[in-house]
Amino acid sequence: MVTSAPPASSAPNPATQTSNERLIVALDFPEASAALACADKLAGSVSWFKVGLELYLAAGDSIISELKRRGHRVFLDLKLHDIPNTAASAVRSLARLEPDLLTVHAAGGRAMLTAAAEAARSLPHPPRLLAVTVLTSMDTAALAETGVSASPVEQVLRLARLAAECGLDGMVCSPAEAAALHSALPKALLVTPGIRPAGADAGDQKRIATPQFALAAGASKLVIGRPITAAADPKAAAQAILSDMAKSNPTK
Ligand code: C5P
């Protein structure tokens, strides 16, 4: 459980509003009603939500349109990975949903990344395209089994550079990799899951960091799920995290 005191006041201040642009709440729910109920509890504090494969495949387009109708920004985390023509067509097909952030697998290679980035830029409401590099569930041995002899961090850097060369806007990375990526690619948008406020349950996450650590390492936006969505009072948990983010990094 997250232990967090409710904020002294619910009135937003300018620093918190800046942090609000940098917090993405992961709506990992099996169906739309629970996801929307959670988003509605957080209304006024949180404006970015991540919809992953589980929720999108269960709820379909309507979950995106409902979040957009409420004025939220949507990170659609579908991790596209296919031949260049199909990946680009998928990006164009998702245009109707107007996602603000969208993911593709960097392992799809230069041609696929370039085609996806060109497709995204051609849309009337272009999403920012993020590369998934090495899944955080993979270690050196798992990479070796797929024929990759590099260490995870070497492979992350190689794929991140490739994605940047192909015109992608940024990467999803763990807080542990954020500093290396920020120094190699200072203009890239770095979105980091694996965030836990001090004292919160790690759950199934292994390599975790506090919001302050991730921001100091150069993360642009933080993805946080259960420390907020499973809290007894999700809005209070979100506001406590936003206040900490604003204190730790008020100007970024
Ligand atoms: O509940 P929690 O804060 O662990 O949720 C983190 C979110 O970020 C989940 O939606 C998870 O799928 C996603 N994610 C992750 N690690 C990655 C990529 C995405 O935890 N490498």
Side-chain angles (χ1 to χ4, degrees), residues 106-196:
R110 185 179 295 278
M112 188 207 87
L113 291 169
T114 304
E118 282 171 2
R121 278 195 297 273
S122 74
L123 301 179
H125 179 99
R128 278 182 290 173
L129 208 55
L130 300 177
V132 176
T133 55
V134 177
L135 294 171
T136 46
S137 52
M138 296 186 80
D139 58 12
T140 304
L143 271 183
E145 276 187 331
T146 68
V148 175
S149 56
S151 70
V153 72
E154 286 167 343
Q155 184 67 356
V156 165
L157 278 166
R158 175 180 299 153
L159 290 172
R161 286 197 177 97
L162 176 65
E165 279 171 30
C166 295
L168 271 77
D169 300 287
M171 295 89 214
V172 179
C173 66
S174 84
E177 292 142 12
L181 282 186
H182 183 59
S183 126
L185 301 164
K187 290 189 185 147
L189 182 74
L190 300 181
V191 176
T192 57
I195 305 293
R196 289 293 178 269

Side-chain angles (χ1 to χ4, degrees), residues 26-28 50 77 79 134-137 172-174 193-196 202 204-205 223-227 229:
L27 291 176
D28 292 320
K50 180 170 94 72
D77 187 19
K79 298 186 176 68
V134 177
L135 294 171
T136 46
S137 52
V172 179
C173 66
S174 84
I195 305 293
R196 289 293 178 269
D204 54 358
Q205 294 280 16
V223 173
I224 305 183
R226 289 160 292 179
T229 58

Side-chain angles (χ1 to χ4, degrees), residues 94-118:
L94 289 169
R96 68 187 187 283
L97 302 175
E98 300 193 347
D100 299 285
L101 287 172
L102 185 64
T103 43
V104 297
H105 268 288
R110 185 179 295 278
M112 188 207 87
L113 291 169
T114 304
E118 282 171 2

